[in-house]
Every structure is written in structure tokens, then in C-alpha cells.
Amino acid sequence: MNKRLWRRGLSAFWWLTLFFLYLPLAVVVLFSFNSANSSASLAGFSLRWYQRLLGNEQILSAFANSMVLAVVSSLVALGIGCLIGYGMYRHRHRKLGWLIVLIYLPIVLPDIVFGISEMAFFVQIHEATGWLRPGLGTMIIAHVTFQIPFVALIVYSRFVGLDPTLFEAAKDLYATPFKRVQHFMLPTIKPALISAFFLSFTLSIDDFVISFFTAGPESATLPIYIWGAIKKGVSPEINAIASLMIGAVALAALLSLIFNRRRPA
Amino acid sequence: MSNRMSAELAEHSDTSPTDQEVATRKASSIELHSLHKRFGADAVALDGVDLSIHAGEFFTLLGPSGCGKTTLLRILAGLEAPDQGTLMVGDKELTEVPPHRRSVNTVFQSYALFPHLSVRDNLAFGLKMRGLPAAERDARVDEIAAFIKLGDLVERRVDQLSGGQRQRIALARALVCEPDVLLLDEPLSALDAGLRSQLQVELQRLQKRLGMTFVFVTHDQDEAMVMSDRIAVLDSGNIQQVGAPSEVYERPANAFVARFMGHDNLFPILARDGLRVQSDLGWLELHKHAGQGDAGDCLLVRPETLEIGDVVPEGYNRLAGVVQERLYRGSRIEYVLEVNGQSLMVVASNLGQQVHQAGDAVTISVCPEDLVTVAA
Ligand SMILES: Nc1ncnc2c1ncn2[C@@H]1O[C@H](COP(=O)(O)OP(=O)(O)OP(=O)(O)O)[C@@H](O)[C@H]1O
Ligand SMILES: [Mg+2]
């Protein structure tokens, strides 16, 4: 009897948690389809806010910036992180504790600290050399920096999960170093790479703080645009952008999860 | 097309070459000279190994865990570099050659099949890396699949295979490359006893049909004796003895080899007088070929050479003992006897003779020719 009550309580707690997590999201999505011009009352169903987005130059450019930033930074981080992940694997028997901590640090560092230090760094370099003017370029560099640890760790854990004799089998079966990369290592870690790409992509689309500090005047991304627009009040348009972002990020996260789970056949 | 394999497939047709022709076609001999290998400061894996392995031989490295078998095999494969010493395969010096440029293939203990590839692509991997065109790769894979009777396993995924099937695929993947030397590191140790003895026979037959040089690693002396042409017994990085299974078993070079080959009846020699030696069993007469053992060495009495019975033939040694324990094993009966306060093991074939009970006093005949002295 007591036990049943306890179980019911737990289950109620679970549903309550889900409710508070997802209700705000559901409200945003719901109001994005609202035909009324207010965020207070629901009228009928309409797609006018989505149509409105297409006519808004600023939003379109913010969207383009977000996409370019996410795709380019994820690809660069994939390349570098992959090499670091392999290096960590190759030298895992050495005592590299402090190096590994250095890789983890950006993951746990508060974004605001990261963002401010990157900004200060870029500004100094810009003043000294004229390079690295705040803009999409500096944002890409900043995003790559915080994506690399995630990629490296995903790749590293994929390698660690492999039978180490596979590397020797490839050597033994006449694969030159280059062919070992092409025919053994890359195909084997492909799911991990795809997963790492979508995770980086999600992190980049998500990010506001670091982008905010490293952006230039013309390189506003969607979160930065929303931040600016919201000062004038939450318009239904914002609901529409937010809903699209929820959809995109959920999709990327799902893909990341699927590919990370997948063990090659 | 690979000549050797097609020759094998045609084995039963009129045009098939004789076994002799097949056997001398491509096998390579191996010469190891003074190989040293240590890991870190104090882990000596190989301590000066000299070894000649003949072309076309089934050669086994036998020894307890940690004696350096795997290290020796990995040096042959090129996966480990010796600190000192040289390695020749055929007339080529391979000491410095990287593994991907050695015509040597390995069957790994964990099988090491590539999880991202199908069985067929696993089998074709080595050929692909060597740059063979796809059509030829396919033909060779089909050939080896027929040769080792893989059947429809070839079209499966690696994760759909049982342990025994993986083992065969790993073997086929190495064989299809037609290496000069095939290395096998305890390939059967993960399999259950039944499958294991079946594969022991298969592997040995296969080696004879191919005439390829096999270097096989095991820590199981029965397996080594069943399969090998010759055995090298290793202990802590040193070769203790090299010889045919019967030599190593019947005339072990020292007490370590004797114990490792499963002999329990070893008795320190206390004194020697011509062909007579004294041990805890008492004085026993030896044959003149028994060996030169002196005080400090050991007398080896093989349990299966002892005979229990009241009639002691002319010229045989006579021992008196009491049955302590009897183990009935079906085809044979094992007795543990007490002789002069020592335990002596006797193995008798079960031929329907009288079965002794614990506590029985018995007489044992020992033929002088069956006694061997071994270095301590
Ligand atoms: N990579 C390594 N690093 C340090 N020590 C090693 C390494 N490889 C082997 N050794 C040491 O060298 C010795 C021989 O090892 P090896 O693997 O050759 O033994 P083995 O005869 O194959 O044993 P097993 O029957 O257990 O496989 C052991 O003492 C082992 O601890
Ligand atoms: Mg080993």
C-alpha cells in the first residue's frame, strides 16, 4: 500500500518535471500558429508569422549567418577534433592527465568567461595587426574552439571502444599508413564523426553568449537577433523563429544520438 | 589466379600435383638469430632466442603465460621490433621491414575482424590493400571460401558469426593472401573443448595440404603435441628445448620441460653408481641411453611405462608400493601409489585386468629403457 503510494508519487513527479520542461516550448509553438496579433489570446490557426519571416531581411540574414557559422565551424572542428581524438587515443598509455584536463576545461567553463576572454583576445589582435575584425570570422574561430573538445572526446571514445588488435590486423594485411586511414580508421569511426558533426552543429546554433561577445555589427545570428527584437516585446514572429529553431535543434540532436548509438554492421 | 589454391582444389582430379610438389612450392624457412626484447627496465620478454624453422613446417611455440610467445610471434609479424638480433624469412632479411611489406600474415587471438566490413570484404581486405583488381579479389575469396568450406558465411555480417566461425574467417582472411609464413596466436583458446579438438585436426590437415610454414602459439601441451611437426618450449624468454613432440615428451631436456609436458614423476637423483641411480624411490637400474644425469639432476619415470603385477620380467626394476588413490578414466586407470614414502603416478590401459583398490599392496615393474634422466 505504502509502496504503491510511493510509486504514484514518483510517477507524478516525473510527469510534473516533463510538464514544466516542455510546456513553455509547447506554448511558443502553439502561439507561432496563432492568427491573432497578440501573445495573450489564441484565435484561429494561421501561418502568417512564418510567411512574415520570409519577408524580413534582417531575419533572413541572421538565419544565413547562423547556418554559415554552424556548418563551417562544425566542419573545421570536426577536422581538428578528429586529429586530437586520435592523438589522445594513440598516446593514452602515457601519463597525459593534465593534457586531458585541458581538453575538458572549455566544456565546463562558463560561456560568459569564454566569450569575454575570446572577445578581449580578438580585440587585442585586431588593434595590433588589423586582422580578426569582429564578424563571422571571429565567431567561427570562437565556435570551433568550444566545439573541438566535444568532437575529440566522441572520436576518442569510439577508438577506445575498438579492439586494439584491429590496428595491427590492418598493418598485417598490407595496408600502408595512408590506406589504414582510408580503409580502416575513417570508415570505422564514421558514425562517431557524423554524430560529432550534428552535436557541434546543435551547440553552434544554440549558442548566444559566446556569439554575442565575438560578433561584429553585420554578423548577428538568430539568437542575437531574437535578443535584440525581444527588447521591443515578444512578437508572434519571434514565436515562429523559436519554433523553427526548436525543430532544427531537435532534429540535429536526434541525428547525433542515432549515429552515436549506431555500431557499424 | 592463385596456383597453390587451385592446385589444392583440383586435388582429387587426375591432373593434381602430388603432395610433395604442393609442399615444396612456396614455403619459406625462418631463421632467428639472438633475438632480445625487453619492455621497460625489468620485463625481459625475449632473452637471446636462436631458432631455425624449416620451410613447410608446423612449428609450435609452447610455454607458460608470460614466457614471451606472443612477443616472438609479433616480432615475426613486424608488429614489434627486437632490441637486438636478426630475422630472416627465406633468404630475405626482415628485421627492419614494416609489417605491411612482409609476406607474413597473422591469425590473431581475438580474431580482429573489421566490424565495419562484411565477411566478404574482410576476406578481401589484404588483397585489396595489395592492389588486386576487384574481379580477381572476388575469385580468390570464393576460392578460399570453398577451400575452407565457409559456405554461406561469406555473405554474412561479422556480428552474426559464432566464435568458431569467426576463427575460420580470421584464418581464411590470412590464408587468402598466400603468405610465406602464417602466424597463429592461440587461435583456438577461446573455443570449447569439442570444437577445439575438431579444429586442431582441421588446421593440421590444412597446413599439410598447403605445405605453408605455420608458426603456432599455445600454452596447452596436448594441443602442441597433436598438431606440431616440431615444438619449441619457452620459459621466461629462453628456449628450453626444440624437438619433435615425441622427443620433447619422452626426452625432455630439463625438469622445467618435463613438468610443463605434464610429467609428475620426477625424483631428484641422490647418488649414481655406473648405470644405477639412487633416488627417493630407491636404487634403479638405467639403460645406457638414459642420459648422463648426475646428483642434482632428476630421474623421470613416465606413468604409462609402469606395469602393476606380481610377475617382474627379467632385467626389470622392481618397486613395491601401496595404492593410495584410484581414478577411473574409462580408457585408462590412474593410480597414485606410495613407494618409499613418495607418491608415484601409474597409468594403466583399461584392458580388463584386475583393478586394484586403495590400500592394496602391489608390485611395479620398471623397464630400464623407459627411465630417463633430465637436467634439473
Ligand atoms: N607491451 C608490453 N609492455 C610491457 N610488457 C610487456 C608488453 N608485452 C609483453 N610484455 C611482457 O613481456 C613478457 C612476455 O609477454 P608475452 O605476451 O610475449 O607472453 P606470452 O608468452 O604470450 O603469454 P600468454 O600465454 O599469457 O599470452 C611478459 O612478462 C609481459 O608482461
Ligand atoms: Mg600471448
Side-chain angles (χ1 to χ4, degrees), chain B residues 22-252:
Chain B
V22 172
T24 51
R25 200 161 287 161
K26 197 195 173 182
S28 292
S29 62
I30 304 171
E31 294 289 335
L32 303 177
H33 183 59
S34 178
L35 283 183
H36 288 262
K37 177 76 189 177
R38 57 168 66 224
F39 294 99
D42 40 32
V44 177
L46 295 179
D47 191 15
V49 168
D50 289 286
L51 205 55
S52 298
I53 299 172
H54 308 323
E57 185 171 42
F58 197 123
F59 193 89
T60 296
L61 302 170
L62 175 67
S65 186
C67 69
K69 308 179 295 287
T70 297
T71 306
L72 187 49
L73 210 65
R74 288 169 58 81
I75 288 175
L76 289 175
L79 298 170
E80 206 86 70
D83 299 334
Q84 252 183 66
T86 53
L87 158 66
M88 306 268 300
V89 171
D91 46 14
K92 294 184 288 279
E93 151 112 47
L94 289 189
T95 321
E96 306 281 327
V97 177
H100 60 269
R101 287 202 263 116
R102 296 187 183 195
S103 179
V104 171
N105 286 107
T106 309
V107 179
F108 293 91
Q109 185 168 3
S110 61
Y111 311 141
L113 300 178
F114 297 114
H116 70 286
L117 296 177
S118 67
V119 169
R120 174 174 286 280
D121 289 338
N122 261 286
L123 292 177
F125 192 88
L127 303 176
K128 188 172 178 183
M129 294 305 107
R130 279 182 155 182
L132 260 74
E136 197 172 333
R137 291 202 300 260
D138 268 348
R140 296 250 311 243
V141 167
D142 288 337
E143 224 176 328
I144 194 80
F147 187 64
I148 314 197
K149 304 194 181 64
L150 294 178
D152 64 346
L153 291 185
V154 175
E155 308 306 334
R156 298 237 193 126
R157 292 209 321 256
V158 168
D159 56 6
Q160 296 172 321
L161 302 175
S162 72
Q165 290 168 336
R166 280 165 205 248
Q167 197 277 333
R168 294 160 74 101
I169 302 295
L171 178 64
R173 184 178 69 174
L175 282 177
V176 76
C177 300
E178 302 193 352
D180 293 348
V181 177
L182 187 75
L183 309 174
L184 307 101
D185 192 357
E186 310 207 25
L188 307 179
S189 64
L191 308 175
D192 65 65
L195 191 56
R196 193 169 171 161
S197 51
Q198 179 197 332
L199 286 174
Q200 283 171 357
V201 176
E202 265 185 43
L203 206 53
Q204 193 230 17
R205 270 197 207 135
L206 184 78
Q207 189 269 340
K208 287 285 159 281
R209 280 162 69 195
L210 291 172
M212 199 183 275
T213 311
F214 276 33
V215 182
F216 184 89
V217 161
T218 181
H219 59 258
D220 177 336
Q221 83 278 8
D222 289 327
E223 185 165 280
M225 286 193 284
V226 168
M227 302 178 76
S228 321
D229 293 319
R230 285 193 311 150
I231 298 173
V233 183
L234 271 86
D235 182 35
S236 35
N238 288 295
I239 297 214
Q240 302 293 321
Q241 186 174 8
V242 181
S246 59
E247 278 166 32
V248 177
Y249 181 76
E250 291 166 23
R251 297 195 154 251

Side-chain angles (χ1 to χ4, degrees), chain A residues 139 207-208 211-213 215 219-229:
Chain A
M139 290 169 94
D207 174 74
F208 168 69
S211 304
F212 182 76
F213 283 107
S219 62
T221 56
L222 277 178
I224 294 178
Y225 172 81
I226 294 176
W227 164 255

